Amino acid sequence: MKVDYIVVGCGLAGLSFCEKLLENNKSFIVIDNNSQQSSVVAGGLYNPVTLKRFTPVWKSEEQLATALPIYKLLEQKLNSTLDYKIPVKRRFTSLEEQNNWFSASDKKGLKPFINTDLFVNNNPYIDANFKLGEVFQTGRLDTKKLIENYKKWLSDNNLLISETFNYDALILDESKVIYQHITAKHIVFAEGFGMKQNPYFKDLPLSGTKGQLLTIHAPELKLDYVLKSSVFVIPLGEDLYRVGSTYEQKDKTNTITEDAKEMLLNKLKTFVKCDFEIINQVAGIRPTVKDRKPLVGKHPTIPNMYLFNGLGSRGVMIAPYVADQLFNFIENNGSLDTEIDCSRFF
């Protein structure tokens, strides 16, 4: 089999790059072993404002302008509803936080996204005495459904090999790469935290941050927006809500823990005042980098080998934008944003 690209990994990074290849009539094959869970278990929010400190997300306008049309096309392609437009509201705990919100609304990069009209909380089961602030241009992407349906589409079109990539089987040449029966012009590794097992890129500073989320059933809550306080509460429909997330540095497993559950519940109960039932708990390792920017670009010594990783907790927004950058870099000798170019660590 001869193709233009081998893509290793099919999370948000991998599928975003595949869509760019399809758009430009490039042939490819995807190799994925379902080992990385961060895209599947993610909350799926896209939100252009960092709600802890009221700061803009890096290149948020460019990211949204690239990502949202892609997800709309994917909904049509996969015949699935994936993108749920839903407001995100920040619960204030003091007048000082309210004042900081108003000050942030004048900052460069934040003005289009911050509503300066505060909302009075009318929900009897939410404790929010200092009102709520709303962020514009927000939503939730059903990442689990997207990835599952996308893999099925790949499989139906004979574009997916479901197996663990064998690095020892990769043969490198100046003009091509060979893997088993596949010859390709380029190979792109989009493995998430699985990059730590990749001998070609494992020394890059991908630290990985474990995140755990709960799903609760709360029939009385009746939220029609995402509520951000000490944790997020994300409506999923049918009185189900996702609650998260934790940020754990030491544990690098996908195993759920009782400590994380108790931490999330203790935070949730400070502002949600109705009964609820825990339905599910999930965990995954976010591919995070110490400077909080992606790892994208070319291997320093091996031709035709590329990396697409380090999307952290904002993969929904950033993946299509970075896919554009990487494709242009490979095919058109374009330049990468210096902040994301993995050569900054070589």
Side-chain angles (χ1 to χ4, degrees), residues 28-48:
F28 65 89
I29 193 79
V30 178
I31 302 171
D32 182 87
N33 66 356
N34 296 315
S35 65
Q36 300 307 307
Q37 297 296 308
S38 63
S39 291
V40 176
V41 306
L45 286 182
Y46 54 89
N47 162 31

Side-chain angles (χ1 to χ4, degrees), residues 83-101:
D83 184 2
Y84 296 85
K85 307 299 183 186
I86 186 168
V88 173
K89 294 183 181 179
R90 170 65 148 82
R91 171 181 174 261
F92 300 126
T93 58
S94 65
L95 291 174
E96 181 183 6
E97 281 195 338
Q98 286 186 9
N99 292 333
N100 291 341
W101 180 261

Side-chain angles (χ1 to χ4, degrees), residues 197-229:
Q197 309 303 318
N198 185 324
Y200 302 105
F201 293 106
K202 65 183 177 62
D203 292 330
L204 286 171
L206 188 76
S207 55
T209 305
K210 182 172 182 174
Q212 299 193 51
L213 302 100
L214 303 176
T215 300
I216 64 169
H217 183 238
E220 295 176 304
L221 191 52
K222 303 303 179 190
L223 271 186
D224 59 358
Y225 57 88
V226 175
L227 179 60
K228 172 64 172 81
S229 184

